[in-house]
Amino acid sequence: MLSYLHSFHAGNFADVHKHAVLSTLLQVATQKDSAFAYFDTHAGRGHYALDSAAAQKTHEYKQGIAKLWALQGEWPKTLRPYQELLNKTGANPRYYPGSPLFAAQALRAEDHMILFEQHPREYPELSELLKRDKRAHVHNRDGYEGLLALLPPKQAKRGLVLIDPSYEVKKEYQQIVRLLLAAQQCWAGGTYAIWYPLLPDEQHLRLKMKLKASGLRNIYCHELRDINTEKARSMQGSGMLIINPPWSVHGAWYPLAQCLVEILRQNDQATAHSEWLVPE
Ligand code: SAM
C-alpha cells in the first residue's frame, strides 16, 4: 500500500536540489547529437499545485522554490540549466513541475522518456499530462522491476536514469543497491542519479557504505547537509549520488552545491559537500 504523496512536499528544498542536479545532467545529455533515453523509476504525477490543500498543509515549498522566486530572476549562473527548464515548464509561485516535466522540456524529438509510477492516483495524472507527447512511455508499474525489464534501452545508446523513491520502507535503501548492481550488468554505460534524504537515523550512510563495497565505480556524491536542523525527526538535508557523471559537468558540482546551500540554508550550520564516493 503506497501512502506517500509528493503533493505535500513538492518544491521543497530537496526538490530544488534534485531538480537542479537533474537539469544540469539533462542539459549536458542533450548537447550531443545522438538520441538519448531518460528513465524515471519513481516519476510522481508530474505537476503540483502549490495552493493545493496538501502543499498548504506543510508549506514545505516556502523553504525551497519560494526562496528562488524571491530572487526575482537574478539567479546565480550555476543554476542556469535549472532556471531555464523550470521557466519552460511554465512554473510560477502557485505551480511546480515534477521530474518528468523537466525531462520533457529538455528532450528533443529523437529522444525518449520511460516513466514508472505505481500509485493508483498519481499514475492517471501523469499519463494524462503526457498523453500527447510521442516521446513519453508512461508505465503503471513498479519502477525497480520495470527498469530492469527495459534495460538496455532499445531506442538509444545513451541515457540517464533518475531513481527517486519515497523511502516509505527502510528496505528501499537495500533495494537500490541491488537495482544498481543489476542495472549496471545490463547497461554499464548509462548515467544513474539517485536521490536520498539526510534523516536523523542516517540510513543514507549505510546506502553509501554498501555502494562503496559493491564494486561499482565512478560514483559522485552531492549533498546539502544540515539545511534544516530544527525539528528532531524531519529531513535535515538532501543527497544525490551520480554514477557515471559526464566529465563536462565535473567543474560545476561544487559551485552548484555551494550556491544551493547559500540560498536554501535555514541556519548557520548548513554545508555543501561535493566529492567522489568511488572514483573511476
Ligand atoms: N520523481 C518525482 C519528482 O521529482 O517530481 C517525485 C517522486 S516521489 C518522491 C516518489 C513517487 O514514487 C511517488 O509518486 C510514489 O507514488 C511512487 N512510487 C513509490 N514506490 C514506487 C515503485 N516501487 N515504483 C514506482 N513508483 C513508486
Side-chain angles (χ1 to χ4, degrees):
M1 173 67 192
L2 296 166
S3 58
Y4 177 93
L5 283 172
H6 197 62
S7 302
F8 288 93
H9 312 289
N12 68 6
F13 72 81
D15 253 10
V16 169
H17 177 217
K18 172 183 36 183
H19 295 149
V21 169
L22 176 65
S23 300
T24 305
L25 292 168
L26 286 167
Q27 192 200 44
V28 172
T30 48
Q31 275 163 0
K32 288 193 182 163
D33 286 343
S34 56
F36 168 80
Y38 169 77
F39 290 87
D40 201 328
T41 57
H42 298 71
R45 62 165 46 205
H47 63 110
Y48 302 91
L50 298 180
D51 53 8
S52 69
Q56 289 300 318
K57 186 168 179 194
T58 60
H59 285 141
E60 286 190 20
Y61 68 93
K62 289 193 174 171
Q63 299 295 343
I65 189 61
K67 290 191 167 181
L68 285 145
W69 291 131
L71 301 177
Q72 309 270 347
E74 303 277 323
W75 293 25
K77 210 169 115 200
T78 180
L79 290 179
R80 197 156 292 158
Y82 177 46
Q83 185 178 23
E84 280 177 9
L85 290 185
L86 191 68
N87 286 341
K88 282 188 189 170
T89 66
N92 64 53
R94 289 181 315 283
Y95 160 73
Y96 189 76
S99 48
L101 280 195
F102 281 90
Q105 295 308 326
L107 266 52
R108 304 150 305 175
E110 64 271 32
D111 300 325
H112 297 268
M113 50 184 176
I114 301 100
L115 313 169
F116 303 97
E117 172 52 52
Q118 218 178 14
H119 197 289
R121 262 169 57 191
E122 302 297 78
Y123 167 74
E125 288 283 336
L126 182 64
S127 181
E128 176 68 22
L129 183 71
L130 294 169
K131 70 180 180 198
R132 287 194 190 85
D133 191 330
K134 290 197 166 55
R135 304 162 307 171
H137 311 270
V138 186
H139 301 267
N140 187 199
R141 185 171 182 179
D142 171 34
Y144 294 100
E145 170 269 318
L147 178 70
L148 291 179
L150 298 183
L151 286 186
K154 287 195 290 285
Q155 306 94 335
K157 288 203 171 69
R158 299 184 305 116
L160 166 66
V161 179
L162 175 67
I163 302 172
D164 180 25
S166 42
Y167 296 95
E168 274 178 273
V169 282
K170 296 276 178 262
K171 75 170 177 46
E172 294 217 62
Y173 293 93
Q174 290 277 3
Q175 213 171 350
I176 288 170
V177 179
R178 283 199 299 275
L179 174 72
L180 288 169
L181 282 167
Q184 286 256 303
Q185 296 260 320
C186 329
W187 194 36
T191 296
Y192 298 82
I194 305 102
W195 177 82
Y196 54 93
L198 306 190
L199 292 162
D201 67 7
E202 299 199 324
Q203 287 282 334
H204 68 283
L205 294 181
R206 295 188 59 201
L207 169 67
K208 285 163 69 176
M209 226 167 60
K210 292 239 182 276
L211 277 176
K212 227 170 159 169
S214 70
L216 293 178
R217 302 205 63 79
N218 209 9
I219 311 179
Y220 202 83
C221 177
H222 202 260
E223 287 183 355
L224 315 183
R225 293 189 195 154
D226 295 325
I227 294 290
N228 164 28
T229 47
E230 261 177 36
K231 292 189 197 134
R233 291 181 57 210
S234 61
M235 180 169 63
Q236 300 182 332
S238 168
M240 296 280 295
L241 292 167
I242 305 112
I243 305 183
N244 299 332
W247 277 103
S248 53
V249 185
H250 288 188
W253 290 131
Y254 189 66
L256 179 62
Q258 223 179 3
C259 135
L260 286 172
V261 161
E262 285 320 312
I263 296 169
L264 300 171
R265 63 164 68 249
Q266 297 172 35
N267 56 52
D268 290 341
Q269 296 110 63
T271 48
H273 295 261
S274 175
E275 63 218 351
W276 286 103
L277 180 71
V278 186
E280 246 193 323

